Amino acid sequence: MALEQTQFSQSDAGSSADANQYLTFSLGDEEYGVDILKVQEIKGYVPTTRIPNAPPEVVGVLNLRGTIVPIVDLRRKFGLEEIEYNQFTAIVVVVVQNRVMGVIVDSVSEVVNIPLSDIQPAPDFGNSMSSSTLRGMARMGENLIILLDIDIVLLGEPAPLALAA
């Protein structure tokens, strides 16, 4: 069963008041989530064009309707064991600080609505960058979802605060 391409729009995710909706995906046995408002589309894995001297986690680029999109393998980024891509492997295309980027994940799960009261702060790892990449942790039934700050994961810096108009 191949993953079909899915595009998201702001209307799919609801208004900004619903900023507690997350696209969930798996890497190994762990479940992760990213703010749905950051997700542009989901596509099945396709081979990328390799770029010389790119960081090891950047597997290449894709031409996505005229936009050159860097693709980051989250397993490599997080130092996880590499696996062969399969029919469930997906590329989640996100917009981070006005840049379109893609991340390779093992599989996409679903869009979930997580009440703010169910989100716990990220554990404190001391001076490590690790905790800053997390928005928090959420329990969904028996599962724990690791909520990522995708801006920090991909660019190493948080998104600038939007000024009210």
Side-chain angles (χ1 to χ4, degrees):
M1 171 174 127
L3 182 67
E4 294 181 21
Q5 183 170 315
T6 306
Q7 288 191 312
F8 289 95
S9 68
Q10 295 286 355
S11 61
D12 293 333
S15 69
S16 60
D18 296 330
N20 53 350
Q21 288 188 324
Y22 293 87
L23 175 72
T24 60
F25 58 86
S26 66
L27 290 173
D29 294 332
E30 305 302 328
E31 196 76 12
Y32 294 84
V34 294
D35 187 333
I36 192 67
L37 297 177
K38 296 281 185 175
V39 177
Q40 179 175 308
E41 69 182 83
I42 302 165
K43 46 187 292 108
Y45 175 77
V46 293
T48 61
T49 302
R50 297 189 60 73
I51 301 296
N53 299 319
E57 66 270 12
V58 178
V59 296
V61 296
L62 283 179
N63 181 348
L64 190 62
R65 292 178 300 285
T67 301
I68 303 302
V69 179
I71 306 298
V72 174
D73 186 318
L74 278 187
R75 279 183 161 274
R76 289 184 189 176
K77 181 78 173 174
F78 293 163
L80 301 174
E81 175 186 353
E82 290 189 39
I83 62 169
E84 283 193 41
Y85 301 142
N86 59 39
Q87 72 270 22
F88 300 109
T89 304
I91 297 174
V92 178
V93 179
V94 294
V95 178
V96 290
Q97 298 184 27
N98 296 319
R99 298 178 199 166
V100 179
M101 300 180 78
V103 293
I104 298 174
V105 300
D106 292 354
S107 65
V108 172
S109 303
E110 61 184 326
V111 175
V112 295
N113 189 31
I114 303 173
L116 294 175
S117 61
D118 289 351
I119 299 174
Q120 300 297 314
D124 185 5
F125 298 116
N127 246 356
S128 171
M129 174 75 164
S130 300
S131 62
S132 68
T133 62
L134 305 181
R135 293 185 116 185
M137 312 285 283
R139 183 163 296 284
M140 294 290 293
E142 293 298 313
N143 298 328
L144 193 61
I145 300 174
I146 302 165
L147 304 177
L148 298 174
D149 185 327
I150 199 69
D151 291 88
I152 294 176
V153 169
L154 294 177
L155 301 177
E157 54 190 56
L161 296 174
L163 299 175

